[in-house]
Amino acid sequence: LFVQNFFVVLCLSLSPRPAAVSSLNEKMRNFDDDDEDDEDSDDSEGEFADEGDWYASLIAGERVGEWLDVIEEETKQQRSNDDEEKEEEEERKAVKTASSKRVLAAETLQKSLDLLAAKGEEEDEEEDVDARRKRSADAVVADEEFSRSRSESFSSDDSTFERVAESEKEEAQKVLVEALEAKLAEREENVNALERKVEEMEMEFRKASEALRATHKELEEKESKMQEERDAREEKEVEAFLALERTFQLEMGSLKKELESSERDAETARAELEDIKRKLEMDIAREKEVSEELRKKVEELKGRQSEDASGEVEKKIRENAQLTAEINVLKDKVAHLTALESEVTRLKEKETLNASLENEIEKMRVEIANNKLNDSDAVIDENELSALVDENASLKEEIGTLKLKVESLQESLKTTKATIDVFQATTERFDLETSELMDERETLVKKIVDLERMLQESIEEQKALQQALADEQEENTKLVLAQKEKASAPVPVASSSSSSSLSSTTERGILINHHDENELRRQGVPVGEELDALTKDVGDRAYKKLYDHQAEALMIEAVRIVDARNTAKDSVKKFDNAFESVRNVYACTSRPLAGEKVTILYNRKQLLPNNSAVSGEEKAMFAMVGYNGWSLQHAIKVDLQPIENFHSPPKNHDQEKCEWWEFALDVPSEAMVIDFVVGDSKGKFDNNNGKDYHIEAAVETDEIVEDNSREAQIEREYHLIAEKRREKNHEELAFARKCAESAVRAKAASLAKKAISSIRGEFRVFTDPLRPKAGERVTIRYRPDGGPLTFARAIYVDINFNRTQNHPAKMEKVNMRAGLNGGVLETTIDVPLDAHVVDFSFRDNGIFVDDNEGADYHCDVIGASGIAPKLRIAHLAVEMAPIAKVGGLGDVVTALSRSVQEQGHHVDVYVPKYDCMNYKEIEGLRKVDQFHYGNDVINIYQGFVEGVRVTFIDPECGHFRVGCIYGRGDDHVRFGYFSDACVAYMKRANCFPDVLHVHDWQTAPAIWSPDRPKTTATALTIHNLQFGQDLIRRAMIECTFATTVSPTYAEEIKHHPSINVIPENESTKFKGIRNGIDNDIWDPSNDEFLPLRYDWQTCKEGKREAKLELLKRMRMDATDFESKPIVACVTRLTEQKGVHLIKKACRYALEKGAYFVLLGSAPDDRIANDFANLANEMKSQHPGRCGFFFSYDEPLSHLIYAGADIFCVPSIFEPCGLTQMIAMRYGAVPLVRRTGGLRDTVFDVQLDPARAASYGKSCNGYNFDGEHEQDIEYALKRALGDYFDREKWNQMNLPSVGMRQDWSWTAPSERYIDLYWNARRKANRQQ
């Protein structure tokens, strides 16, 4: 540093002009002043840096050239002012010399700076730039002192500059050294102080930065959280507003319908008044005739008076007395006329009511206008409202006309006072008719009053809802609940006390009064005695059909048994060792009889003579059993059981050598010989030295008979089997009759509901009458609003008959004209005599059509000639209840087949002939065919299961003789073989159906079988998309149409890669159709497992008894049981069923004071252990209030459905689900997770009033969306809260509501039938 500063000062000392030195000295003085103020000024650091930068640039040589240029310019200016040339010449020489020295000094300075910079970087690479600048500034101060001294010496005389420079050089150097040493010490102290200060400031800066970053991060998190809360609140407010809007629109629609209903009632009243008028006119005419007869009698009386005056006087006295009595009657009639005048006054009051209604309508119009201002999306049809106003005015005028007519009738009645005798009879009839008229008018007035009340309530609700939306301080969740509670109205329930006013009550809870019967009859709906007669006729036909079927099945079985027995007689003779008992080996406890049960004892020591002390597993034994020399059926395995406390050992055996074990057999009726061998788990067998053991089976008809021909044997066997099955067959016949009658009444209820809804205009498409008669006329009505033709200018209807494409009476593009009701189009046609059904669809002039999603609309016809068109359906499935059931697939196949067959169509079901099937449920099983298929032989069997014909496929390769249905690891091979074999048999037997319906991936390969003809349409039903997705994908492409088991599940899976492969031109071929339940099996009014049978009208009493019985069965505390609800769950305990949600429901219900009952089994050991621990924990914490049963129990399940108050189904996913529908059938209120079929069947009392109305249902339960425990907790909290509020629970009456809803297979099967017909038409077109 010293050398560096020395060269700088040297360079300055050689400068020829003191002005340049003065300028530099001034800058250095300013720098020193700034440096001294560093300790007191906050800006000192910046100023120091600025000056340091300038001086550092000078030291680094970056500005040396610039400084030299300045000095050169000043030198030239001074030289031009000197007048003496000598001095200029000397000065020029001096300048040149100084310049050369300055250049040399600058070069030397630059080199020194470079060396010093390199050395400084090596010694301290981390030295701060600002510190170096400060050290450089110290050198500048020293330079300033030297420059000041040099400047004073140069100011005396410019001419002596060169002389003085050499003499003062040494002195300047000494001064410079001293100044540099002093300044160096001072600057070092300053630098150290500044470095410490910088370090402190840097530390404070880092701390402040970290604090600032933490604060900034915290602010960002708070802002993000606040934004999320604002978004959530806005979203919930929007949802709440939309819900309110939908509720408002729904209520507006309901009010419109009520207005239309009121108008129809008024029209009916007018028609009845006209009838009364005609009757009164007829009565007046009859009264005139009677008056004429009276006049004649008076004349005869006068003639008689002339003959016998005295007698006449007495007679006259009697007549006067009679006349007096009749006059009294007349006075009563006059009083009655006064009452009639009061009725006219009532009509005037009705006019006042109508005027009030007009005022309410005007208020409603203002309210609608306000709503339009508030919500631009609201859609209110003011034209319809204006039409209602006009119709009200017309109604008022007609009422006035009726009043005048009534007054004219009064005038006519007054003219009949002279006819006393006839007037008395007329009065009685008039009293009756007037009473009926008054009843009708009272009903009309009541409806109008109710309508006014509903309008007022709607207005008040809208105001309340708007006020609720404006209140931002209330929490959003409470707001939504409050709004929806206001929007939901209590469900009206008919009490049993009103039964006297009903002419009939259908099974589904549809109430029909006397005034509806005539209209329903006109609509073609059977009611009253007609329905009873139809029900009896259908029941008788079902009884006879099943009886004939049973007789056929018994005969088939008798023939099979006789033929098998006769065939086996030869094989019996081959076994000389066929004995009932072999000493010390085996014995029968009774004589073996064909068709009966027999118990066989076996001596274990025969198999294991020297193995008396063995473990239980090694000790286990089994028998392989067959019949008729192992030829009757496949060998079956039967476990042997040890006999404990054997008090009556068989005779003729050495008991000390015997250890008896036993096994029981049901001997087939055709068995002549029982064949068996015995083995153990170690693979050791006792087969009688290769001869096997054989026992001869006797026949009950072994006695000597005169006729032993085959026909006589069959006859005897037939009666024997019939006697054995008599009780069972009678039960089946009674059940068949009941099912048929229930189906008729259910159909009638559905028709009645549809007819009433059609009359009220609730459907877009309907006919009048609902079921026309062949040869008569029918009006087709269509409301385009809300459909594909909403904006069509002109609409036409295409009409066909009998589900065919080209009926002779087919009509195309029939113009639809405007009907009486606004917005409804109609056309009237003649129904052909041979038409069993009318088919129609709607279209415009362009490409838009409304054809019920390709299935067309249909109208059944009564009394048509010829045979009604029928379908032939074949189901291919690997499950069928109750013979081979694993899951819900088997239930659907059986129930859907039965329901379609009950509607008159021919149905066949094809299933594999498993060796593990429940053969007892198969009637008339027999072998009907055998054929070669590839390298294998296939046996074909047929029988009946629940009245449906079933074909069984039994290949000799043994695919289905493996003891199970699933789980072999080769299921895809076995079921693919089955699918191809079914189509091969259809081709062989020439029995291809109209529609081949396959179920799930197992039978999907039948769709693309090359043997299937193009005329056979194909249908695929997806029950669960978890398995066989590749096969389902191909089937989706090639099938005619596809379905799944609920509409919501169809929406959930429609974007799945296996589903989303449908061509765009066939986008409508995938449908969701809800499954149903068998109402005849799940029927609380005829359930043998319930302590008290009940229906929807008596559900309170029935469920009370079932609840008490359930608590006793589960050994729970029944104290004050009516005040505590039972929360129940019947399910398989798997992850799909939401086991964590079930646990939460259990804990929460018990914490809130309710009961909890669980029935179910867990195939997963981990889940089973979890629930076992849960049961122990809950029983210890809540003794007497919880019950668990971890195995399926059919009677207990019925009792749980009946005794439960709230039924939980919290499935994570559920394609359809049946338990929630069964629960509602028994009056249990469902609480479900809103997924799949659960969403389509359960409508929340607070959240779903609009959605329920769109389904044509009432709210019937509770649901939730999430998968977390707090989600089910919130739903259960609402349900329990409603239950504990007894007044609210009784008002909602949810158990009765659920029982009245129809979840049977009636509607789903009709939808399937429509799709079957449409598929057949498509297949025929492809041909």
Side-chain angles (χ1 to χ4, degrees), residues 423-441:
F423 192 81
Q424 183 177 3
T426 305
T427 301
E428 295 176 356
R429 292 193 298 270
F430 187 79
D431 287 340
L432 178 62
E433 294 168 355
T434 305
S435 176
E436 293 178 353
L437 178 61
M438 291 173 62
D439 292 340
E440 290 293 328
R441 288 175 178 171

Side-chain angles (χ1 to χ4, degrees), residues 1118-1136:
T1119 304
D1120 196 21
F1121 71 96
E1122 292 187 81
S1123 65
K1124 294 177 286 190
I1126 292 182
V1127 180
C1129 186
V1130 178
T1131 183
R1132 288 182 296 110
L1133 299 176
T1134 62
E1135 296 294 343
Q1136 174 197 343

Side-chain angles (χ1 to χ4, degrees), residues 604-785:
R604 187 186 70 88
K605 292 183 178 180
Q606 178 69 17
L607 179 65
L608 304 170
N610 299 320
N611 203 9
S612 58
V614 293
S615 63
E617 181 179 356
E618 295 174 347
K619 196 176 180 180
M621 296 190 299
F622 61 88
M624 299 300 298
V625 182
Y627 302 95
N628 295 352
W630 306 97
S631 63
L632 182 59
Q633 65 182 35
H634 305 299
I636 60 175
K637 182 179 179 180
V638 183
D639 292 330
L640 274 71
Q641 302 295 333
I643 302 177
E644 298 179 0
N645 300 325
F646 197 17
H647 299 293
S648 56
K651 299 179 180 180
N652 302 323
H653 295 271
D654 300 326
Q655 299 303 326
E656 67 278 3
K657 298 181 180 179
C658 299
E659 182 183 345
W660 296 109
W661 287 47
E662 66 179 357
F663 61 97
L665 300 175
D666 288 320
V667 183
S669 299
E670 60 270 35
M672 299 294 292
V673 174
I674 303 172
D675 315 302
F676 73 94
V677 297
V678 179
D680 65 359
S681 59
K682 298 298 184 179
K684 187 174 182 180
F685 277 90
D686 176 11
N687 61 359
N688 195 16
N689 297 322
K691 298 180 181 180
D692 299 340
Y693 292 109
H694 307 281
I695 302 174
E696 184 177 356
V699 182
E700 292 184 358
T701 57
D702 280 349
E703 64 273 8
I704 299 175
V705 294
E706 296 181 359
D707 187 0
N708 201 29
S709 62
R710 178 176 180 272
E711 290 74 14
Q713 293 181 40
I714 293 173
E715 184 69 18
R716 289 193 296 271
E717 191 66 31
Y718 174 85
H719 290 294
L720 183 63
I721 299 173
E723 181 62 26
K724 290 180 179 179
R725 299 184 180 179
R726 181 169 58 86
E727 184 176 353
K728 178 182 177 182
N729 286 349
H730 284 175
E731 292 178 356
E732 292 179 349
L733 289 170
F735 184 72
R737 183 192 294 275
K738 176 180 175 297
C739 291
E741 292 176 351
S742 298
V744 171
R745 293 192 179 276
K747 180 68 174 179
S750 176
L751 290 174
K753 183 177 179 180
K754 188 175 181 180
I756 293 172
S757 299
S758 299
I759 294 170
R760 294 175 179 174
E762 296 178 2
F763 294 142
R764 289 196 310 106
V765 180
F766 56 97
T767 62
D768 186 14
L770 182 66
R771 299 171 69 212
K773 294 181 179 179
E776 297 184 359
R777 297 174 68 80
V778 62
T779 299
I780 301 173
R781 292 193 172 96
Y782 178 65
R783 180 182 290 105
D785 293 343

Side-chain angles (χ1 to χ4, degrees), residues 1256-1325:
K1257 300 287 185 182
S1258 300
C1259 293
N1260 53 16
Y1262 302 86
N1263 54 38
F1264 62 96
D1265 290 312
E1267 300 180 8
H1268 303 291
E1269 293 182 354
Q1270 60 266 27
D1271 298 318
I1272 191 173
E1273 177 181 332
Y1274 177 66
L1276 193 54
K1277 178 180 179 181
R1278 293 189 292 120
L1280 294 177
D1282 289 345
Y1283 183 90
F1284 288 125
D1285 186 349
R1286 300 305 297 169
E1287 182 178 355
K1288 181 177 181 181
W1289 186 262
N1290 293 332
Q1291 185 181 25
M1292 292 191 299
N1293 200 14
L1294 292 179
S1296 178
V1297 171
M1299 292 188 70
R1300 283 183 294 168
Q1301 293 177 344
D1302 182 13
W1303 301 110
S1304 69
W1305 272 99
T1306 302
S1309 63
E1310 290 177 352
R1311 182 60 175 162
Y1312 270 109
I1313 290 172
D1314 287 342
L1315 295 177
Y1316 289 153
W1317 281 113
N1318 187 46
R1320 195 183 80 160
R1321 287 195 297 270
K1322 287 183 179 179
N1324 291 337
R1325 285 197 298 266

Side-chain angles (χ1 to χ4, degrees), residues 962 964-972 974-975 1001:
V962 293
C964 61
I965 297 177
Y966 301 112
R968 291 280 300 177
D970 60 347
D971 291 347
H972 62 290
R974 298 189 300 124
F975 296 141
W1001 64 271

Side-chain angles (χ1 to χ4, degrees), residues 1011-1048:
D1011 292 334
R1012 178 184 65 83
K1014 298 297 183 182
T1015 55
T1016 295
T1018 56
L1020 166 69
T1021 293
I1022 302 170
H1023 298 265
N1024 196 328
L1025 194 57
Q1026 281 188 305
F1027 311 102
Q1029 296 176 0
D1030 292 336
L1031 295 175
I1032 289 178
R1033 175 184 176 87
R1034 182 175 179 184
M1036 285 294 299
I1037 297 173
E1038 301 196 22
C1039 68
T1040 310
F1041 75 91
T1043 67
T1044 190
V1045 293
S1046 69
T1048 298

